[in-house]
Amino acid sequence: RHTLRVSVKSELKTLRKKAIVAAETKQPAAEVADATKTAIKKFAKAASNKVIHPKTASRKISRLMKAVNRLQK
């Protein structure tokens, strides 16, 4: 169970970074939206499977959206 949680948390960090890098490098809006959407889905799934706390997932999703929106301007 521990290795599963660690791998999921690692994947979440990677997806978050990919979404932020996509926004920073001024990639097309569709690519940024796709990367962000994928990250949000994974955070929600991890919370529903009790890998991370639901409020932690909510906070991380919020911060991700805030960062991506700031970088796209």
Side-chain angles (χ1 to χ4, degrees), residues 33-66:
D34 188 43
T36 306
K37 188 176 177 183
T38 304
I40 290 171
K41 276 185 180 179
K42 291 284 185 175
F43 272 110
K45 188 75 169 171
S48 69
N49 289 334
K50 306 289 189 231
V51 175
I52 59 175
H53 195 278
K55 288 189 178 182
T56 301
S58 178
R59 183 177 66 244
K60 300 226 180 217
I61 289 170
S62 175
R63 289 179 181 171
L64 174 65
M65 288 304 301
K66 194 173 174 182

Side-chain angles (χ1 to χ4, degrees), residues 4 9 12 40 47 50 57 65 68:
L4 178 70
K9 286 182 176 187
L12 292 174
I40 290 171
K50 306 289 189 231
M65 288 304 301
V68 168

